[in-house]
Amino acid sequence: MKKLYPVILLLISAQAFAQSTDLKAIAAKKADSMFTQTVAWRRDFHQNPELGNREVRTAGIVAAYLKSLGMEVKTGIATTGVVGVLKGAYPGPVVALRSELDALPVTERTPVPFASKVTTTYNGQTVGVMHACGHDSHMAMLMTVAEILSSMKSQLHGTVKFIFQPAEEGVPVGEKGGAEEMIKEGVLENPKVDVIFAQHIFSYLPAGTISYRPGGALASVNDMKIIIKGKSSHGAEPWFSVDPIVISAEIITNLQTIVSRNINLKENPAVVTVAAINGGTRHNIIPEKVEMLGTLRAMTDADEQTLKTRVTEIVTKIAEANGATAEVYIPYSVHYPATYNDPALTAQMLPSLRQAAGADNVLLATPMTVSEDMSYFQQKVPGLDVFLGGMPKGGDPKTTPSNHSADFFIDESVFPLGVKTLCNLTLDYMAEKTK
């Protein structure tokens, strides 16, 4: 019997790989046949967007659908998160697949008939709400994957956890949410996740392509709030003031030297951006205070610390030199680590990507300075986040509206490729672990 045991294991392994190939072919056909349904889900989510920690309708639709597929479903995780567990008929690894739920405070300008007309109050202002980063597409594709893999339950070697995460774009000050909070509430346990996969659609990457990058793929993010306090006076008598507007201008100019003089750009990119400045109420009154908001992006922990240190030094020293005081908050409300794709896992799954898109359409990406809280999951378990091209054929990446834009637009014809990609990653990883 001992001599037969290795033979039995070899037969099981060969059977699993053969089965994986067959299941991927079936999944590819179903991805194509479900295209209309995937588009319908996406357009419904797009027309009815909800901000982070307020995705009540969105989460309800996702949860109800996963339950209809016979999954064990948990809701209310990290406020509005949803997790569905699909247990295959055979033992094997636990594969997590993750999508976001939330939209952005952006007023949509696209001419599509399903454009969002939703408005809300955000930071005291009335703004539109829009899926301007593709999360509606991510949800629709993952729901399609859930149906396809559920139909294969009797042949799956392992378990799939479908994680629908709220508040990827951040939560209001004082609230908790996102991937970090889901982890704290045990989303990677019971059953314990072995690996996590995700994909993100980008409007300026060519449709039909999948991009990947081992190691640091997306930047860390720290938002910042800077408060400069001076002395108010009449605008006609500035010598009585300590002008926080002039001081802020000097600070903003000097902050731009951090990336050019303190970061080795041959190794990694970095970004220091001041995106909002608020101070004053009238043309002839120098205000007492100016507030600035901005973002810091880095690809390594060391560069992230350099940015934080230098911003604090420059702001406080310039304020002090001009007779003002400064308060610096980094992070103010949002911090995500760099998104790190496990190099060994990336190499292992590269054939799966190539089979889904074709070898010529799988591209090595350059580092991107956008950020993703998928990074928190990847700090706990090996993970791979790949990038799906959504730019229509013939588009120019230099002029195509980017993610987070009011004109953000993606080519829905790429949805079957996104579905096939997640199915391939899941099925091939399961097959590999049955060796």
Side-chain angles (χ1 to χ4, degrees):
M1 186 65 181
K2 289 182 179 179
K3 292 181 180 180
L4 287 175
Y5 188 64
V7 177
I8 293 171
L9 285 179
L10 186 61
L11 289 173
I12 291 173
S13 176
Q15 181 185 23
F17 268 93
Q19 188 180 67
S20 172
T21 301
D22 292 341
L23 293 180
K24 284 188 292 183
I26 295 169
K29 290 181 180 178
K30 288 190 175 182
D32 291 331
S33 67
M34 288 188 66
F35 174 67
T36 301
Q37 177 62 72
T38 310
V39 169
W41 278 325
R42 183 259 169 159
R43 293 186 178 185
D44 179 69
F45 291 137
H46 191 89
Q47 204 163 16
N48 299 279
E50 296 170 301
L51 295 181
N53 279 3
R54 284 127 180 91
E55 311 96 325
V56 176
R57 177 186 184 274
T58 305
I61 292 171
V62 171
Y65 191 70
L66 297 182
K67 287 177 183 177
S68 76
L69 296 175
M71 292 189 199
E72 173 190 328
V73 177
K74 294 181 180 179
T75 60
I77 304 172
T79 307
T80 52
V82 178
V83 174
V85 178
L86 173 64
K87 295 179 180 178
Y90 302 98
V94 179
V95 178
L97 302 176
R98 175 267 199 170
S99 169
E100 315 91 319
L101 294 168
D102 58 324
L104 284 158
V106 173
T107 302
E108 184 162 6
R109 283 198 302 251
T110 64
V112 297
F114 53 91
S116 169
K117 301 294 190 295
V118 175
T119 61
T120 191
T121 300
Y122 182 81
N123 283 345
Q125 302 179 46
T126 299
V127 295
V129 183
M130 177 188 177
H131 272 293
C133 201
H135 297 180
D136 51 346
S137 302
H138 302 169
M139 286 185 280
M141 288 186 284
L142 190 54
M143 288 171 69
T144 306
V145 172
E147 177 162 328
I148 292 171
L149 294 181
S150 292
S151 71
M152 302 172 175
K153 180 178 179 179
S154 63
Q155 297 164 284
L156 290 183
H157 290 258
T159 297
V160 186
K161 260 191 177 179
F162 295 90
I163 298 175
F164 289 83
Q165 176 210 310
E168 189 279 326
E169 300 291 356
V171 298
V173 176
E175 295 186 21
K176 297 179 180 180
E180 187 176 26
E181 189 64 23
M182 291 195 92
I183 292 168
K184 289 178 181 177
E185 295 186 18
V187 74
L188 297 178
E189 306 298 330
N190 302 317
K192 184 175 178 60
V193 169
D194 294 300
V195 69
I196 187 165
F197 297 119
Q199 64 183 344
H200 203 299
I201 196 166
F202 284 95
S203 63
Y204 47 82
L205 299 179
T209 64
I210 292 286
S211 296
Y212 72 97
R213 185 171 185 80
L218 302 178
S220 65
V221 58
N222 284 277
D223 68 341
M224 63 180 176
K225 182 175 184 178
I226 298 169
I227 301 174
I228 305 300
K229 293 182 179 179
K231 181 183 176 183
S232 179
S233 79
H234 196 297
E237 300 174 320
W239 47 86
F240 290 127
S241 76
V242 176
D243 191 338
I245 291 180
V246 172
I247 297 169
S248 296
E250 186 178 350
I251 287 171
I252 293 170
T253 299
N254 276 269
L255 289 179
Q256 303 314 304
T257 66
I258 298 173
V259 171
S260 66
R261 294 297 179 267
N262 301 129
I263 301 297
N264 186 343
L265 296 179
K266 293 190 301 181
E267 297 177 355
N268 292 302
V271 173
V272 176
T273 292
V274 176
I277 177 168
N278 298 290
T281 57
R282 185 177 165 85
H283 71 279
N284 62 351
I285 300 175
I286 293 174
E288 183 179 26
K289 182 175 71 173
V290 167
E291 293 188 2
M292 292 179 276
L293 299 174
T295 187
L296 309 179
R297 310 284 170 138
M299 302 304 298
T300 68
D301 291 342
D303 284 351
E304 180 181 354
Q305 187 57 51
T306 296
L307 296 183
K308 293 164 69 174
T309 299
R310 290 295 292 132
V311 167
T312 302
E313 290 173 346
I314 288 171
V315 171
T316 55
K317 297 301 182 183
I318 289 178
E320 181 183 355
N322 285 276
T325 60
E327 299 173 16
V328 182
Y329 303 94
I330 306 173
Y332 173 57
S333 63
V334 176
H335 169 249
Y336 297 164
T339 298
Y340 185 85
N341 287 329
D342 183 271
L345 178 66
T346 304
Q348 176 187 333
M349 305 317 300
L350 193 52
S352 305
L353 303 180
R354 289 172 173 159
Q355 186 177 33
D360 292 341
N361 293 317
V362 178
L363 311 173
L364 178 63
T366 57
M368 288 193 272
T369 49
V370 296
S371 302
E372 247 272 27
D373 72 350
M374 171 73 173
S375 54
Y376 281 113
F377 294 120
Q378 291 171 301
Q379 286 186 327
K380 301 297 182 181
V381 297
L384 174 60
D385 195 2
V386 299
F387 314 127
L388 177 65
M391 182 177 66
K393 192 173 183 179
D396 183 350
K398 295 180 180 179
T399 58
T400 295
S402 68
N403 294 46
H404 287 219
S405 162
D407 302 301
F408 173 77
F409 177 83
I410 56 96
D411 184 347
E412 294 175 329
S413 70
V414 305
F415 290 170
L417 172 57
V419 172
K420 294 170 190 176
T421 298
L422 291 179
C423 287
N424 279 14
L425 290 171
T426 303
L427 294 169
D428 283 344
Y429 186 84
M430 287 181 169
E432 177 69 24
K433 290 302 175 180
T434 59
K435 281 185 175 179

